[in-house]
């Protein structure tokens, strides 16, 4: 294809595997009230996930009797995919006594969000909306934990005849307590054995081996006023010091009995048998450890796209149907925006002539992806499409920011550059050089080919068919480029395009941080398996 003579790049704003991971979701509610003012509700939370526009139940919590501020022990285990928008709905129901079904339950409110929002914030609190989307005084908090660190507990009760259950709490930095796990209740048994359960090291102690843990044992009562049996305090560090042939045990103490009874020793004993430690980090660990995705967009404004006023142009703005540039931008951007804390996205353009009176400050750092969409649509009447298709300057500009981040102490920002272009680039040598340099930085480059041009040369940059090298022969340190032709997804859903475009990003992020020896924040070096038994 032929293009006009070279002009400097312009900026749009004209501003100067799927990697499957399990996520644990813990839920608590506050300020909920029953329709019956004389009694407290019996709350239960139902988790639903959206698929093809429909909501399907994934799981539900236990029912907690007579509680207006329940902390549920049930942990929702959800498959996490970075490259997908996973929409969740948390519904709160009041389950009538003697009935655990939803048919006769009262709906108390719901909250909708994406899994990406929960994971990136780690703790998300929102109001529960009632029928008609009206907000009441009640709220729901969802906390997320990764699952690379597994711990198996097996507990046995020696607390006399009762209906016992055990709770484990993590003592937080501010002195508050977070419920880590609540066992099931074993009814009316002299020597009940609780089922084994699993919990991550992150959930157990936030990766701090010296963090205090409080374990309490209760005698269950149907009215919600459970009788306290006893408690003990420990740390994960203490759990790890067991030696072969030697067991660690904790006495469950009831302070009230300890003060009143002279011969009181304890209310039972819990014994630890085994501890196994393995190290493992995932993409989710880095995201939940504070890693931020810095998302940047670059759009091709070269003349080969066609006059935007013409309906045949790739930049034509149809009143009812978004063009391919907009479809690709929204599909990828909707996912990436969940992982950017300030929701400000630099948007660039290249290959256009800019009028002298054009104020560049209007379209630079756009708010949310919708802001980028509006900036793109607003600038089209004010510029002249020109050429050539040079993308090396854009890669170098983002690489400059990534290089500055690499030298900070935190080094927890990762840059994703989305380039939308309609044809073969004209500065291939410089682009190869820029990509080789960027492969040493916390950065990935995504290229979406728009239109029906020949994109053969783009496959070279992708590196899937061989190692990309600079003109001087220097190879990339790691594969950071993903190229996808939009025409392959013309009749597919936006989700399918996003999945293909972003599928390699999680492994690229992990590869970078592993190569640099950078560990996730608030993560322990260990993955452990522990067994409690009599």
């Amino acid at each position: 294809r032929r293009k006009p003579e070279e002009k400097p790049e312009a900026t749009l704003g004209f501003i100067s595997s799927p990697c499957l991971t399990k996520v644990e979701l813990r839920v608590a509610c506050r300020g909920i009230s029953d329709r019956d003012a004389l009694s407290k509700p019996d709350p239960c939370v139902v988790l639903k996930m959206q698929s093809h526009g429909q909501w399907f139940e994934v799981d539900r919590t236990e029912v907690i009797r007579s509680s207006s501020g329940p902390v549920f022990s049930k942990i929702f285990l959800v498959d996490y995919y970075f490259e997908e928008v996973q929409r969740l709905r948390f519904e709160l129901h009041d389950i009538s006594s003697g009935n655990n079904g939803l048919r006769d339950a009262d709906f108390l409110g719901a909250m909708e969000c994406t899994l990406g929002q929960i994971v990136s914030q780690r703790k998300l609190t929102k109001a529960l909306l009632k029928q008609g989307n009206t907000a009441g005084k009640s709220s729901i908090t969802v906390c997320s934990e990764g699952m690379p660190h597994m711990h198996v507990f097996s507990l046995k009760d020696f607390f006399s005849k009762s209906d016992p259950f055990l709770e484990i709490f993590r003592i937080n930095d501010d002195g508050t307590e977070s419920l880590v796990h609540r066992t099931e209740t074993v009814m009316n048994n002299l020597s009940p054995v609780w089922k084994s359960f699993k919990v991550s090291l992150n959930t157990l102690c936030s990766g701090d081996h010296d963090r205090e843990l409080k374990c309490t044992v209760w005698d269950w009562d149907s009215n919600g006023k459970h009788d306290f049996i006893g408690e003990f305090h420990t740390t994960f560090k203490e759990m790890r010091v067991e030696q072969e042939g030697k067991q660690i045990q904790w006495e469950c103490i009831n302070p009230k009995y300890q003060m009143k009874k002279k011969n009181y020793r304890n209310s039972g004993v819990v014994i630890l048998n085994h501890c196994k430690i393995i190290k493992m980090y995932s993409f989710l660990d880095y995201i939940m450890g504070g890693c931020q995705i810095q998302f940047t967009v670059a759009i091709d404004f070269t003349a080969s796209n066609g006059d935007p006023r013409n309906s045949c142009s790739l930049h034509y703005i149809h009143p009812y149907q978004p063009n391919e540039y907009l479809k690709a931008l929204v599909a990828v951007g909707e996912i990436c925006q969940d992982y950017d804390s300030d929701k400000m996205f630099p948007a660039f353009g290249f290959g256009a002539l800019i009028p002298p009176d054009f104020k560049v400050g209007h379209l630079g750092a756009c708010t949310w992806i919708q802001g980028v969409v509006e900036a793109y649509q607003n600038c089209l009447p004010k510029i002249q499409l020109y050429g050539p298709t040079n993308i090396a300057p854009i890669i170098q500009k983002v690489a400059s920011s990534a290089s500055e981040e690499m030298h900070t102490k935190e080094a927890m920002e990762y840059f994703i550059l989305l380039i939308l272009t309609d044809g073969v680039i004209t500065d291939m040598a410089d682009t190869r050089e820029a990509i080789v340099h960027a492969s040493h930085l916390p950065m990935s480059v995504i290229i979406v080919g728009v239109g029906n041009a020949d994109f053969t040369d783009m496959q070279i940059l992708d590196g899937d068919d061989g190692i990309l090298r600079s003109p001087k022969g220097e190879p990339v340190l790691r594969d950071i480029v993903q190229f996808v032709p939009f025409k392959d997804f013309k009749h597919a859903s936006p989700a399918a395009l996003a999945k293909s475009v972003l599928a390699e990003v999680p492994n690229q992020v992990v590869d970078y941080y592993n190569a640099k020896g950078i560990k996730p924040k608030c993560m322990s070096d260990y993955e452990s398996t522990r067994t409690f038994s009599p």
Side-chain angles (χ1 to χ4, degrees), residues 66-199:
S66 302
S67 178
S68 58
V71 177
F72 297 97
S73 67
K74 170 71 177 183
I75 295 176
F76 294 127
L77 193 59
V78 182
D79 291 342
Y80 166 75
Y81 298 92
F82 165 74
E83 65 274 16
E84 295 181 11
V85 176
Q86 295 173 271
R87 302 191 188 281
L88 305 180
R89 177 179 171 88
F90 296 85
E91 293 183 354
L92 181 65
H93 297 269
D94 180 10
I95 308 296
S96 59
S97 181
N99 175 28
N100 287 328
L102 297 181
R103 180 176 297 178
D104 299 320
D106 290 332
F107 174 74
L108 300 180
M111 182 271 282
E112 295 181 13
C113 63
T114 66
L115 184 57
Q117 289 170 336
I118 299 173
V119 165
S120 61
Q121 298 182 41
R122 297 200 63 177
K123 182 177 182 180
L124 179 67
T125 299
K126 295 182 71 174
L128 285 164
L129 302 181
K130 298 182 179 180
Q131 300 288 3
N133 289 331
T134 59
K137 296 181 179 179
S138 57
S139 65
I140 185 169
T141 298
V142 184
C143 296
S144 58
E145 301 283 355
M147 282 200 61
H149 310 280
M150 300 304 302
H151 315 278
V152 181
F153 292 81
S154 177
L155 296 154
K156 192 170 183 179
D157 172 27
F158 291 98
F159 303 113
S160 75
K161 196 168 185 179
S162 58
D163 304 325
F165 65 92
L166 179 140
E167 294 180 326
I168 301 176
F169 293 88
R170 177 183 69 221
I171 308 300
N172 300 314
D173 292 336
D174 59 1
T176 59
E177 300 175 357
S178 293
L179 179 65
V180 171
H181 184 78
R182 181 189 294 125
T183 69
E184 78 283 4
T185 301
V186 179
M187 304 300 290
N188 198 24
N189 196 311
L190 287 172
S191 300
V193 177
W194 288 304
K195 295 178 183 177
S196 297
F197 61 91
K198 297 180 180 181
V199 64

Side-chain angles (χ1 to χ4, degrees), residues 226-376:
H226 313 301
D227 296 322
F228 177 68
I229 294 177
E231 67 181 25
F232 64 91
H233 295 252
T234 184
T235 63
F236 177 65
K237 183 176 182 180
E238 185 178 31
M239 295 177 182
R240 287 188 53 219
V241 300
E242 94 288 346
Q243 299 174 3
E244 189 173 346
K246 181 181 178 181
Q247 294 179 328
I248 297 176
Q249 66 181 36
W250 295 271
E251 295 183 338
C252 291
I253 304 297
N254 188 320
K256 186 170 69 173
Y257 292 164
Q258 195 174 40
M259 292 179 62
K260 290 183 177 181
K261 298 181 180 181
K262 288 185 179 181
N263 298 324
Y264 176 79
R265 293 183 60 185
N266 61 58
S267 299
V269 175
V270 174
I271 300 173
L272 169 67
N273 268 347
H274 181 64
C275 176
K276 184 181 179 182
I277 300 171
I278 306 168
K279 180 167 74 172
M280 183 188 304
Y281 297 130
S282 69
F283 171 74
L284 187 62
D285 294 330
Y286 288 103
I287 291 297
M288 297 178 68
C291 178
Q292 292 288 311
I293 300 296
Q294 300 295 332
F295 183 60
T296 301
V297 180
I299 298 178
D300 184 341
F301 286 112
T302 52
S304 57
N305 283 278
D307 188 338
R309 293 169 294 184
N310 189 317
S311 61
C312 296
S313 170
L314 291 171
H315 283 303
Y316 178 70
I317 303 299
H318 192 281
Y320 305 111
Q321 180 67 30
N323 62 37
E324 292 185 6
Y325 279 101
L326 285 173
K327 288 180 180 178
L329 171 61
V330 173
V332 179
E334 276 194 339
I335 292 173
C336 292
Q337 69 182 3
D338 282 344
Y339 302 88
D340 189 306
S341 59
D342 64 5
K343 313 301 180 190
M344 300 295 290
F345 307 105
F348 297 90
F350 53 93
L353 288 177
I354 307 173
D357 61 343
F358 189 75
K359 296 183 179 180
V360 301
H362 289 300
L363 302 172
C366 304
T367 306
W368 295 87
I369 290 305
Q370 185 57 37
V372 181
V373 169
E374 292 171 1
Y376 164 71

